[in-house]
PDB file of all heavy atoms in Angstrom:
ATOM      1  N   LYS A  53     -22.909  25.495  -2.738  1.00 59.00           N
ATOM      2  CA  LYS A  53     -22.934  25.102  -4.139  1.00 59.00           C
ATOM      3  C   LYS A  53     -21.600  25.331  -4.832  1.00 59.00           C
ATOM      4  O   LYS A  53     -21.314  24.709  -5.847  1.00 59.00           O
ATOM      5  CB  LYS A  53     -24.036  25.879  -4.865  1.00 59.00           C
ATOM      6  CG  LYS A  53     -25.440  25.439  -4.471  1.00 59.00           C
ATOM      7  CD  LYS A  53     -26.479  26.143  -5.310  1.00 59.00           C
ATOM      8  CE  LYS A  53     -27.878  25.659  -4.943  1.00 59.00           C
ATOM      9  NZ  LYS A  53     -28.929  26.320  -5.752  1.00 59.00           N
ATOM     10  N   GLU A  54     -20.769  26.244  -4.318  1.00 65.00           N
ATOM     11  CA  GLU A  54     -19.493  26.493  -4.960  1.00 65.00           C
ATOM     12  C   GLU A  54     -18.538  25.305  -4.820  1.00 65.00           C
ATOM     13  O   GLU A  54     -17.537  25.227  -5.522  1.00 65.00           O
ATOM     14  CB  GLU A  54     -18.836  27.729  -4.358  1.00 65.00           C
ATOM     15  CG  GLU A  54     -18.518  27.601  -2.872  1.00 65.00           C
ATOM     16  CD  GLU A  54     -17.823  28.844  -2.331  1.00 65.00           C
ATOM     17  OE1 GLU A  54     -17.387  29.667  -3.158  1.00 65.00           O
ATOM     18  OE2 GLU A  54     -17.745  28.980  -1.100  1.00 65.00           O
ATOM     19  N   PHE A  55     -18.856  24.327  -3.951  1.00 80.00           N
ATOM     20  CA  PHE A  55     -18.038  23.132  -3.794  1.00 80.00           C
ATOM     21  C   PHE A  55     -18.633  21.931  -4.532  1.00 80.00           C
ATOM     22  O   PHE A  55     -18.230  20.806  -4.295  1.00 80.00           O
ATOM     23  CB  PHE A  55     -17.861  22.787  -2.324  1.00 80.00           C
ATOM     24  CG  PHE A  55     -17.009  23.762  -1.578  1.00 80.00           C
ATOM     25  CD1 PHE A  55     -17.580  24.714  -0.763  1.00 80.00           C
ATOM     26  CD2 PHE A  55     -15.625  23.734  -1.699  1.00 80.00           C
ATOM     27  CE1 PHE A  55     -16.788  25.616  -0.070  1.00 80.00           C
ATOM     28  CE2 PHE A  55     -14.833  24.623  -1.020  1.00 80.00           C
ATOM     29  CZ  PHE A  55     -15.413  25.582  -0.205  1.00 80.00           C
ATOM     30  N   SER A  56     -19.584  22.178  -5.409  1.00 89.00           N
ATOM     31  CA  SER A  56     -20.199  21.109  -6.172  1.00 89.00           C
ATOM     32  C   SER A  56     -19.775  21.198  -7.635  1.00 89.00           C
ATOM     33  O   SER A  56     -19.387  22.268  -8.126  1.00 89.00           O
ATOM     34  CB  SER A  56     -21.731  21.183  -6.086  1.00 89.00           C
ATOM     35  OG  SER A  56     -22.142  21.057  -4.732  1.00 89.00           O
ATOM     36  N   LEU A  57     -19.863  20.070  -8.311  1.00 91.00           N
ATOM     37  CA  LEU A  57     -19.490  19.997  -9.717  1.00 91.00           C
ATOM     38  C   LEU A  57     -20.481  20.799 -10.552  1.00 91.00           C
ATOM     39  O   LEU A  57     -21.693  20.657 -10.390  1.00 91.00           O
ATOM     40  CB  LEU A  57     -19.469  18.538 -10.153  1.00 91.00           C
ATOM     41  CG  LEU A  57     -18.816  18.182 -11.480  1.00 91.00           C
ATOM     42  CD1 LEU A  57     -17.368  18.636 -11.535  1.00 91.00           C
ATOM     43  CD2 LEU A  57     -18.906  16.682 -11.717  1.00 91.00           C
ATOM     44  N   LYS A  58     -19.977  21.604 -11.470  1.00 93.00           N
ATOM     45  CA  LYS A  58     -20.825  22.446 -12.311  1.00 93.00           C
ATOM     46  C   LYS A  58     -20.172  22.646 -13.682  1.00 93.00           C
ATOM     47  O   LYS A  58     -18.982  22.323 -13.855  1.00 93.00           O
ATOM     48  CB  LYS A  58     -21.062  23.796 -11.621  1.00 93.00           C
ATOM     49  CG  LYS A  58     -19.798  24.558 -11.296  1.00 93.00           C
ATOM     50  CD  LYS A  58     -20.099  25.798 -10.473  1.00 93.00           C
ATOM     51  CE  LYS A  58     -18.815  26.540 -10.108  1.00 93.00           C
ATOM     52  NZ  LYS A  58     -19.088  27.743  -9.279  1.00 93.00           N
ATOM     53  N   PRO A  59     -20.888  23.182 -14.650  1.00 95.00           N
ATOM     54  CA  PRO A  59     -20.310  23.372 -15.988  1.00 95.00           C
ATOM     55  C   PRO A  59     -19.196  24.418 -15.994  1.00 95.00           C
ATOM     56  O   PRO A  59     -19.133  25.314 -15.153  1.00 95.00           O
ATOM     57  CB  PRO A  59     -21.511  23.832 -16.824  1.00 95.00           C
ATOM     58  CG  PRO A  59     -22.716  23.384 -16.066  1.00 95.00           C
ATOM     59  CD  PRO A  59     -22.332  23.446 -14.625  1.00 95.00           C
ATOM     60  N   GLY A  60     -18.287  24.257 -16.975  1.00 94.00           N
ATOM     61  CA  GLY A  60     -17.248  25.247 -17.192  1.00 94.00           C
ATOM     62  C   GLY A  60     -16.006  25.074 -16.329  1.00 94.00           C
ATOM     63  O   GLY A  60     -15.258  26.036 -16.140  1.00 94.00           O
ATOM     64  N   LEU A  61     -15.751  23.890 -15.799  1.00 95.00           N
ATOM     65  CA  LEU A  61     -14.601  23.679 -14.922  1.00 95.00           C
ATOM     66  C   LEU A  61     -13.521  22.838 -15.609  1.00 95.00           C
ATOM     67  O   LEU A  61     -13.796  22.104 -16.557  1.00 95.00           O
ATOM     68  CB  LEU A  61     -15.036  22.978 -13.631  1.00 95.00           C
ATOM     69  CG  LEU A  61     -16.059  23.693 -12.754  1.00 95.00           C
ATOM     70  CD1 LEU A  61     -16.389  22.832 -11.539  1.00 95.00           C
ATOM     71  CD2 LEU A  61     -15.565  25.064 -12.327  1.00 95.00           C
ATOM     72  N   LYS A  62     -12.321  22.942 -15.096  1.00 96.00           N
ATOM     73  CA  LYS A  62     -11.220  22.055 -15.441  1.00 96.00           C
ATOM     74  C   LYS A  62     -10.724  21.396 -14.170  1.00 96.00           C
ATOM     75  O   LYS A  62     -10.858  21.958 -13.075  1.00 96.00           O
ATOM     76  CB  LYS A  62     -10.069  22.829 -16.092  1.00 96.00           C
ATOM     77  CG  LYS A  62     -10.384  23.424 -17.456  1.00 96.00           C
ATOM     78  CD  LYS A  62      -9.160  24.136 -18.020  1.00 96.00           C
ATOM     79  CE  LYS A  62      -9.462  24.724 -19.397  1.00 96.00           C
ATOM     80  NZ  LYS A  62      -8.266  25.401 -19.971  1.00 96.00           N
ATOM     81  N   GLY A  63     -10.153  20.216 -14.316  1.00 96.00           N
ATOM     82  CA  GLY A  63      -9.664  19.564 -13.109  1.00 96.00           C
ATOM     83  C   GLY A  63      -9.170  18.157 -13.375  1.00 96.00           C
ATOM     84  O   GLY A  63      -8.689  17.830 -14.465  1.00 96.00           O
ATOM     85  N   PHE A  64      -9.347  17.324 -12.361  1.00 97.00           N
ATOM     86  CA  PHE A  64      -8.820  15.954 -12.407  1.00 97.00           C
ATOM     87  C   PHE A  64      -9.838  14.998 -11.786  1.00 97.00           C
ATOM     88  O   PHE A  64     -10.506  15.347 -10.802  1.00 97.00           O
ATOM     89  CB  PHE A  64      -7.499  15.852 -11.643  1.00 97.00           C
ATOM     90  CG  PHE A  64      -6.487  16.880 -12.053  1.00 97.00           C
ATOM     91  CD1 PHE A  64      -6.387  18.085 -11.388  1.00 97.00           C
ATOM     92  CD2 PHE A  64      -5.632  16.640 -13.120  1.00 97.00           C
ATOM     93  CE1 PHE A  64      -5.458  19.047 -11.757  1.00 97.00           C
ATOM     94  CE2 PHE A  64      -4.698  17.594 -13.505  1.00 97.00           C
ATOM     95  CZ  PHE A  64      -4.611  18.795 -12.821  1.00 97.00           C
ATOM     96  N   ILE A  65      -9.914  13.806 -12.342  1.00 97.00           N
ATOM     97  CA  ILE A  65     -10.707  12.715 -11.778  1.00 97.00           C
ATOM     98  C   ILE A  65      -9.757  11.786 -11.043  1.00 97.00           C
ATOM     99  O   ILE A  65      -8.742  11.357 -11.598  1.00 97.00           O
ATOM    100  CB  ILE A  65     -11.461  11.943 -12.871  1.00 97.00           C
ATOM    101  CG1 ILE A  65     -12.495  12.834 -13.530  1.00 97.00           C
ATOM    102  CG2 ILE A  65     -12.124  10.696 -12.285  1.00 97.00           C
ATOM    103  CD1 ILE A  65     -13.140  12.182 -14.752  1.00 97.00           C
ATOM    104  N   CYS A  66     -10.089  11.463  -9.813  1.00 97.00           N
ATOM    105  CA  CYS A  66      -9.324  10.504  -9.024  1.00 97.00           C
ATOM    106  C   CYS A  66     -10.267   9.390  -8.583  1.00 97.00           C
ATOM    107  O   CYS A  66     -11.258   9.664  -7.897  1.00 97.00           O
ATOM    108  CB  CYS A  66      -8.690  11.160  -7.797  1.00 97.00           C
ATOM    109  SG  CYS A  66      -7.521  12.472  -8.179  1.00 97.00           S
ATOM    110  N   SER A  67      -9.957   8.182  -8.962  1.00 95.00           N
ATOM    111  CA  SER A  67     -10.751   7.043  -8.503  1.00 95.00           C
ATOM    112  C   SER A  67      -9.991   6.324  -7.400  1.00 95.00           C
ATOM    113  O   SER A  67      -8.758   6.251  -7.415  1.00 95.00           O
ATOM    114  CB  SER A  67     -11.042   6.084  -9.655  1.00 95.00           C
ATOM    115  OG  SER A  67      -9.846   5.526 -10.161  1.00 95.00           O
ATOM    116  N   CYS A  68     -10.725   5.793  -6.436  1.00 94.00           N
ATOM    117  CA  CYS A  68     -10.085   5.133  -5.293  1.00 94.00           C
ATOM    118  C   CYS A  68     -10.947   3.953  -4.876  1.00 94.00           C
ATOM    119  O   CYS A  68     -11.966   3.656  -5.508  1.00 94.00           O
ATOM    120  CB  CYS A  68      -9.888   6.107  -4.133  1.00 94.00           C
ATOM    121  SG  CYS A  68     -11.436   6.826  -3.513  1.00 94.00           S
ATOM    122  N   ASN A  69     -10.555   3.322  -3.782  1.00 90.00           N
ATOM    123  CA  ASN A  69     -11.260   2.143  -3.288  1.00 90.00           C
ATOM    124  C   ASN A  69     -11.541   2.315  -1.800  1.00 90.00           C
ATOM    125  O   ASN A  69     -10.811   1.828  -0.955  1.00 90.00           O
ATOM    126  CB  ASN A  69     -10.432   0.876  -3.549  1.00 90.00           C
ATOM    127  CG  ASN A  69     -11.201  -0.385  -3.278  1.00 90.00           C
ATOM    128  OD1 ASN A  69     -12.420  -0.346  -3.075  1.00 90.00           O
ATOM    129  ND2 ASN A  69     -10.508  -1.509  -3.259  1.00 90.00           N
ATOM    130  N   ASN A  70     -12.621   3.067  -1.495  1.00 88.00           N
ATOM    131  CA  ASN A  70     -13.131   3.239  -0.129  1.00 88.00           C
ATOM    132  C   ASN A  70     -12.194   3.986   0.802  1.00 88.00           C
ATOM    133  O   ASN A  70     -12.398   3.973   2.005  1.00 88.00           O
ATOM    134  CB  ASN A  70     -13.468   1.867   0.495  1.00 88.00           C
ATOM    135  CG  ASN A  70     -14.520   1.120  -0.285  1.00 88.00           C
ATOM    136  OD1 ASN A  70     -15.444   1.718  -0.835  1.00 88.00           O
ATOM    137  ND2 ASN A  70     -14.385  -0.202  -0.347  1.00 88.00           N
ATOM    138  N   ARG A  71     -11.175   4.634   0.277  1.00 90.00           N
ATOM    139  CA  ARG A  71     -10.260   5.421   1.126  1.00 90.00           C
ATOM    140  C   ARG A  71     -10.181   6.839   0.570  1.00 90.00           C
ATOM    141  O   ARG A  71      -9.144   7.307   0.117  1.00 90.00           O
ATOM    142  CB  ARG A  71      -8.875   4.770   1.162  1.00 90.00           C
ATOM    143  CG  ARG A  71      -8.835   3.325   1.621  1.00 90.00           C
ATOM    144  CD  ARG A  71      -9.149   3.189   3.095  1.00 90.00           C
ATOM    145  NE  ARG A  71      -8.095   3.778   3.903  1.00 90.00           N
ATOM    146  CZ  ARG A  71      -7.025   3.107   4.313  1.00 90.00           C
ATOM    147  NH1 ARG A  71      -6.861   1.835   3.983  1.00 90.00           N
ATOM    148  NH2 ARG A  71      -6.116   3.693   5.074  1.00 90.00           N
ATOM    149  N   GLU A  72     -11.305   7.548   0.622  1.00 94.00           N
ATOM    150  CA  GLU A  72     -11.392   8.839  -0.065  1.00 94.00           C
ATOM    151  C   GLU A  72     -10.526   9.914   0.597  1.00 94.00           C
ATOM    152  O   GLU A  72      -9.886  10.707  -0.088  1.00 94.00           O
ATOM    153  CB  GLU A  72     -12.852   9.289  -0.118  1.00 94.00           C
ATOM    154  CG  GLU A  72     -13.720   8.440  -1.032  1.00 94.00           C
ATOM    155  CD  GLU A  72     -15.101   9.032  -1.239  1.00 94.00           C
ATOM    156  OE1 GLU A  72     -15.385  10.100  -0.637  1.00 94.00           O
ATOM    157  OE2 GLU A  72     -15.900   8.451  -1.991  1.00 94.00           O
ATOM    158  N   LYS A  73     -10.490   9.954   1.931  1.00 94.00           N
ATOM    159  CA  LYS A  73      -9.687  10.983   2.599  1.00 94.00           C
ATOM    160  C   LYS A  73      -8.210  10.817   2.280  1.00 94.00           C
ATOM    161  O   LYS A  73      -7.506  11.791   1.986  1.00 94.00           O
ATOM    162  CB  LYS A  73      -9.919  10.917   4.105  1.00 94.00           C
ATOM    163  CG  LYS A  73     -11.305  11.370   4.547  1.00 94.00           C
ATOM    164  CD  LYS A  73     -11.437  11.355   6.056  1.00 94.00           C
ATOM    165  CE  LYS A  73     -12.813  11.840   6.488  1.00 94.00           C
ATOM    166  NZ  LYS A  73     -12.960  11.826   7.969  1.00 94.00           N
ATOM    167  N   GLU A  74      -7.726   9.597   2.345  1.00 95.00           N
ATOM    168  CA  GLU A  74      -6.324   9.352   2.025  1.00 95.00           C
ATOM    169  C   GLU A  74      -6.044   9.640   0.548  1.00 95.00           C
ATOM    170  O   GLU A  74      -4.975  10.136   0.195  1.00 95.00           O
ATOM    171  CB  GLU A  74      -5.948   7.905   2.345  1.00 95.00           C
ATOM    172  CG  GLU A  74      -5.939   7.566   3.829  1.00 95.00           C
ATOM    173  CD  GLU A  74      -7.315   7.202   4.364  1.00 95.00           C
ATOM    174  OE1 GLU A  74      -8.298   7.391   3.612  1.00 95.00           O
ATOM    175  OE2 GLU A  74      -7.389   6.736   5.516  1.00 95.00           O
ATOM    176  N   CYS A  75      -7.020   9.328  -0.299  1.00 96.00           N
ATOM    177  CA  CYS A  75      -6.860   9.588  -1.730  1.00 96.00           C
ATOM    178  C   CYS A  75      -6.764  11.083  -2.012  1.00 96.00           C
ATOM    179  O   CYS A  75      -5.949  11.520  -2.834  1.00 96.00           O
ATOM    180  CB  CYS A  75      -8.029   8.976  -2.491  1.00 96.00           C
ATOM    181  SG  CYS A  75      -7.954   9.194  -4.273  1.00 96.00           S
TER     182      CYS A  75
END
Side-chain angles (χ1 to χ4, degrees):
K53 289 185 178 180
E54 62 178 347
F55 291 102
S56 300
L57 193 58
K58 57 187 178 181
L61 299 179
K62 293 182 180 181
F64 309 93
I65 295 172
C66 299
S67 64
C68 60
N69 190 11
N70 300 324
R71 304 290 292 271
E72 291 189 359
K73 290 183 179 180
E74 292 84 351
C75 181

